[in-house]
Amino acid sequence: MTKKTLGLWALLLALPLILGVLILDQATKWWAIADLCLLPLEGTLKSCASLEGARLGETAYWSAGRVETFVPIIDLDFHMNDKAALSMPIPGPPWFEFLLLLLIMAILAGWLWREGGRHNIIGVGLILGGALGNLVDRALHGAVVDFFALHFGGWTAFIFNVADGAITLGVIWLFVEQLFLKQRRNAQAVVS
């Protein structure tokens, strides 16, 4: 089998993980919109889910309030993020962000196709699934739905979603794979 054929198989094998992350991410975000988001309308607060076609990123909203979870450092708290990772501003018009995200995703998919490898499938699948989840949010809502609040005492460190978690895990996976595991496999190949 040629390297390009192996790379194509790697992309195909990453597809279920990409779709799984995308589906889980979107399902949890729709739940957060339905249960954690409130919009002030007509002197009262109404559920964001009851408003068809509302672009939440362009509308004032209220969080239903922080909800404690069974995990001591993570609570549920609805937010809309119209910025990039770590709330960094995104330069240029909205179409530039879509173009930039698509370019990064294409480069990552091309890298997996070129490199192949079963170890890379997990990292790239997590990253692409998360990136697609956040891209769908920006297209539908004008911003990304975040609802997991990582906190330490009264200090909130990050507010994120399933897609952000998948991207972070994917980057860590690829970093460990490229830095440590690939070196070990290469050393073992030299010894054999």
Side-chain angles (χ1 to χ4, degrees):
M1 220 182 258
T2 67
K3 191 166 184 171
K4 286 191 177 185
T5 305
L6 289 172
L8 182 60
W9 275 109
L11 279 173
L12 291 174
L13 290 173
L15 197 56
L17 181 57
I18 294 167
L19 292 175
V21 168
L22 176 63
I23 290 167
L24 178 63
D25 175 63
Q26 289 300 301
T28 58
K29 287 174 179 174
W30 284 108
W31 166 81
I33 291 169
D35 287 358
L36 299 175
C37 177
L38 299 172
L39 289 175
L41 289 174
E42 301 162 4
T44 180
L45 294 174
K46 298 190 182 201
S47 168
C48 296
S50 65
L51 304 169
E52 277 300 315
R55 287 187 55 86
L56 297 174
E58 299 167 357
T59 308
Y61 68 89
W62 295 60
S63 178
R66 184 168 278 200
V67 179
E68 290 186 21
T69 63
F70 61 92
V71 180
I73 61 170
I74 297 178
D75 289 342
L76 302 174
D77 194 4
F78 186 85
H79 289 271
M80 295 297 295
N81 182 7
D82 62 350
K83 296 185 175 38
L86 303 173
S87 294
M88 292 185 295
I90 301 168
W95 61 264
F96 177 74
E97 177 187 2
F98 283 101
L99 185 63
L100 186 61
L101 281 171
L102 290 173
L103 179 64
I104 291 168
M105 291 168 51
I107 289 170
L108 195 55
W111 177 80
L112 180 60
W113 185 3
R114 191 187 81 228
E115 289 293 312
R118 65 176 190 252
H119 301 287
N120 296 328
I121 292 170
I122 295 171
V124 171
L126 288 169
I127 294 169
L128 290 179
L132 278 173
N134 284 341
L135 193 65
V136 167
D137 269 18
R138 291 193 187 279
L140 293 178
H141 308 299
V144 175
V145 174
D146 289 331
F147 55 92
F148 289 122
L150 177 65
H151 64 89
F152 303 98
W155 179 67
T156 300
F158 300 105
I159 299 179
F160 61 100
N161 56 44
V162 170
D164 298 336
I167 291 168
T168 302
L169 289 175
V171 168
I172 292 169
W173 181 277
L174 289 178
F175 177 75
V176 169
E177 157 62 22
Q178 293 302 309
L179 191 61
F180 300 111
L181 301 179
K182 192 173 185 179
Q183 289 177 357
R184 185 186 314 161
R185 283 195 307 274
N186 288 343
Q188 289 173 348
V190 169
V191 171
S192 336

